[in-house]
């Protein structure tokens, strides 16, 4: 029988992982040392906690244990090769006792995210490193999220870590004059981390609240540093408004689409906070991608019932977004609003032209539109294709039920 | 501090077609950039190379060395010049590379040097 506490240890470990790695990197200047020490602390916790129980401050326990293990290792290696070890340390220019703007927010994870999202790294390596080091996802989970082989993903992460070390990609918050450009890559990564938590691609938990929570936490700190950057404000608003629907979004293990959700179950505090941020964006009048996405979510959270949704407003916002980002995924989302305004046939004509055949949401959207048009046989095939393209258990449950409701005559 | 090599890659076909006044501007800008590198202490070494068709390939791995007409790589883009600079980290090196790229009007590749092995090894 599996010890129920082992699962609890793994859960705590994952929750604390980003904080643990960030503080170890700050202290020891090396990502590999940090990861090895964190791994050893996990093994120690798995041995100790089942007997003694989870300590009152598990994060502190893990940090202390991992720190001790790292010191042991560094002592061993320093004896072997002292100078080389010092040369391989990550560059960290700020004295550890000085408090920068971020340190006052008490967070080392933000330094780490700027390192992980450095423009000198390949875009796919940035998100992988962020998920691995800050989100605590396993290489296997990240590989499945990217639809690549685990060995490929492991190589990608190893290569990125080697580049950080060899090229001396710094472990710090960028200079104020470089910050706006560097922030864009961080925002893109934070949204991807959030999305991975909000609709987990792995076949475990359908929603990974620690990932959505982590993305929001990092977005909040970024917003605190750059209250004038409206795209940061927009991203935070987008994440909060999306997160507000989390409880209502999966019930009894099944995904509940926006129109069917119990709106009384939405988190009002998050909605109030998110909508206030959207109003700030509107007042600043410097629209950008994340601000528009946030505004679309604000339209939905404004509607008392699905029938009250201001679809014309949603479509207009998607038009604005298309002007900035004419991608097929934006066109697919816009088509959902078009279906409400102009009917499912008009929407289907748009959707059918989009080159998104490997994307589960494209198949799911087609299935619903075909169903509304009474084209039952084609709808069934589209549900099958959507089921084949998603590993998320809650989405599969929803799609299976919808498919099962269809009657072939 | 780490040393970085900033290499400029020239397109051999277009490099001869640059009008003289543009060439003159380039020389002046590069000289200004070099002076800045010296004054800030980032300078280690720099140089411009003669065209790639002046290269000779030497293979000394066999019993007797073999000499042949170069260049070694069959490509249109060859290294036209380079800087070796000292920088605190990659961000500092990238900032220098951006200035160098503007001055020489070409793309610059940034690569870190290997750390020097310990003196007593």
């Amino acid at each position: 029988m599996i010890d129920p506490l082992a699962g609890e240890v793994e859960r705590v470990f994952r929750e604390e992982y980003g904080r643990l790695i960030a503080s170890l990197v700050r202290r020891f200047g090396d990502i590999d040392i940090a990861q090895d020490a964190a791994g050893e602390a996990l093994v120690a916790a798995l041995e100790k906690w089942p007997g003694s129980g989870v300590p009152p401050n598990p994060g502190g326990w893990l940090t202390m244990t991992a720190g001790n293990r790292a010191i042991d290792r560094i002592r061993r290696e320093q004896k072997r090769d002292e100078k080389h070890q010092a040369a391989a340390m990550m560059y960290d220019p700020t004295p550890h006792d000085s408090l920068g703007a971020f340190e006052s927010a008490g967070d080392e994870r933000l330094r780490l995210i700027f390192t992980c999202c450095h423009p000198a790294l390949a875009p796919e390596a940035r998100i992988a490193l962020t998920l691995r080091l800050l989100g605590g996802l396993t290489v296997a989970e990240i590989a499945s999220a990217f639809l690549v082989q685990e060995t490929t993903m492991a190589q990608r992460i190893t290569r990125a870590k080697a580049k950080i070390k060899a090229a001396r990609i710094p472990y710090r918050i960028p200079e104020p004059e470089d910050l706006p450009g560097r922030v864009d890559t961080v925002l893109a990564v934070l949204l991807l981390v959030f999305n991975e938590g909000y609709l987990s691609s792995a076949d475990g938990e359908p929603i990974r609240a620690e990932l959505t929570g982590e993305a929001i936490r990092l977005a909040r700190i970024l917003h605190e540093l750059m209250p004038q950057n409206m795209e940061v404000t927009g991203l935070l608003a987008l994440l909060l408004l999306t997160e507000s629907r989390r409880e209502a979004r999966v019930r009894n293990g099944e995904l509940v689409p926006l129109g069917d959700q119990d709106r009384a179950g939405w988190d009002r505090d998050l909605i109030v906070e998110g909508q206030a941020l959207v109003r700030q964006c509107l007042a600043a009048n410097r629209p950008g991608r994340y601000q528009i996405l946030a505004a679309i979510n604000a339209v939905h959270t404004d509607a008392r019932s699905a029938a009250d949704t201001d679809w014309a407003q949603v479509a207009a916002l998607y038009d604005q977004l298309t002007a900035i980002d004419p991608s097929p995924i934006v066109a697919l989302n816009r088509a959902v609003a078009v279906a409400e305004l102009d009917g499912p046939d008009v929407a289907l004509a748009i959707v059918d032209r989009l080159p998104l055949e490997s994307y589960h949401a494209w198949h799911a959207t087609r299935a619903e539109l075909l169903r509304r048009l009474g084209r039952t046989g084609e709808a069934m095939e589209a549900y099958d294709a959507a089921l084949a393209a998603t590993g998320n258990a809650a989405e599969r449950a929803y799609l299976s039920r919808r498919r099962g409701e269809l009657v072939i005559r | 501090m780490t040393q970085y090599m900033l290499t400029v890659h020239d397109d051999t076909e277009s490099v001869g077609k640059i009008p003289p006044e543009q060439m003159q501007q380039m020389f002046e800008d590069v000289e200004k950039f070099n002076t800045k590198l010296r004054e800030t202490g980032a300078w280690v070494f720099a140089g411009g190379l003669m065209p790639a068709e002046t290269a000779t390939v030497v293979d000394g791995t066999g019993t007797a060395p073999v000499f042949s007409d170069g260049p070694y790589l069959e490509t249109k883009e060859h290294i036209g010049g380079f800087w070796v600079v000292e920088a605190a980290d990659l961000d500092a090196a990238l900032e220098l590379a951006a200035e160098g790229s503007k001055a020489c009007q070409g793309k610059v590749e940034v690569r870190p040097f290997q750390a020097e092995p310990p003196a007593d090894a």
Side-chain angles (χ1 to χ4, degrees), chain A residues 112-160:
Chain A
L112 190 56
I113 201 172
F114 274 108
T115 305
C116 291
C117 302
H118 197 280
L121 299 172
E124 65 271 19
R126 291 175 208 157
I127 168 83
L129 265 188
T130 305
L131 286 173
R132 179 77 196 97
L133 297 181
L134 285 134
L137 269 72
T138 63
V139 174
E141 286 170 321
I142 303 167
S144 110
F146 279 87
L147 306 173
V148 300
Q149 295 282 326
E150 196 176 330
T151 49
T152 310
M153 184 52 71
Q155 278 165 6
R156 194 178 288 174
I157 292 173
T158 305
R159 199 174 150 253

Side-chain angles (χ1 to χ4, degrees), chain A residues 81 83-84 87 91 93 118-120 163 166-170 172 174 177-178 182, chain B residues 1-2 4 87-92 94-95 110 112-113 115-120:
Chain A
D81 191 354
K83 286 184 182 156
H84 198 76
Y91 183 63
H118 197 280
K163 180 166 183 183
R168 296 246 272 185
I169 291 181
R172 63 146 181 252
E177 64 268 27
D178 300 331
R182 295 283 306 277
Chain B
M1 296 292 260
T2 300
Y4 295 87
D89 59 34
L90 185 66
D91 282 357
L94 295 181
E95 208 174 296
V110 179
F113 276 86
E116 278 180 49
D120 54 359

